[in-house]
Amino acid sequence: MNANALNSSLVAIISKKEELNALDYNDERYDDMEEELHDMEDDFNEEYGDYLEDALEEVHGKLRSDADILLPTAYLPSSLNGDHVTPDGEREGVWVESDEFPGVEMRLVLAANPARFVVLIGDQERELWKAE
């Protein structure tokens, strides 16, 4: 797998999400931009889905989690800033349970620069997988 191409695709999608989040719902460009974002996500899942689903299985194994594995784009943050907090202040990523950390709220995020899966535990971030 070409890790640079994967990362470039991630950056493009997350950048589009940033653009969309900056618009008001009443903006005449909103619907077209949202449709463009969904097309980008569909293409991404088609191109990298199998590869990233294998990576997610590895990550879930490390976490000892039996949570459902979702489409890779479900794990994308809404910004490239690395804060992993939505514009309305909520933690980003997909919530996962882990036998390794029982009772702890954890979120799994597919981050860019480089392409990697990180788990957010409290205010800590731990890299579990990186594209190579």
Side-chain angles (χ1 to χ4, degrees), residues 8-91:
S8 293
S9 293
L10 280 174
V11 169
I13 291 172
I14 298 168
S15 295
K16 185 60 70 176
K17 289 177 84 167
E18 286 177 326
E19 279 183 66
L20 185 63
N21 288 334
L23 295 180
D24 184 76
Y25 289 119
N26 296 323
D27 191 301
E28 61 187 38
R29 299 169 294 166
Y30 190 90
D31 289 338
D32 290 338
M33 192 174 292
E34 184 177 45
E35 175 130 357
E36 187 178 335
L37 173 62
H38 290 310
D39 289 344
M40 291 171 74
E41 289 174 333
D42 289 344
D43 291 345
F44 181 85
N45 285 327
E46 187 173 319
E47 176 88 18
Y48 300 105
D50 291 340
Y51 175 69
L52 291 173
E53 285 175 20
D54 288 345
L56 280 163
E57 286 183 25
E58 179 183 324
V59 165
H60 278 251
K62 287 179 180 177
L63 292 173
R64 295 185 1 214
S65 173
D66 60 0
D68 291 337
I69 292 176
L70 306 178
L71 289 173
T73 51
Y75 300 86
L76 292 178
S78 58
S79 153
L80 290 167
N81 68 13
D83 289 344
H84 304 303
V85 176
T86 65
D88 60 0
E90 230 179 274
R91 304 274 303 167

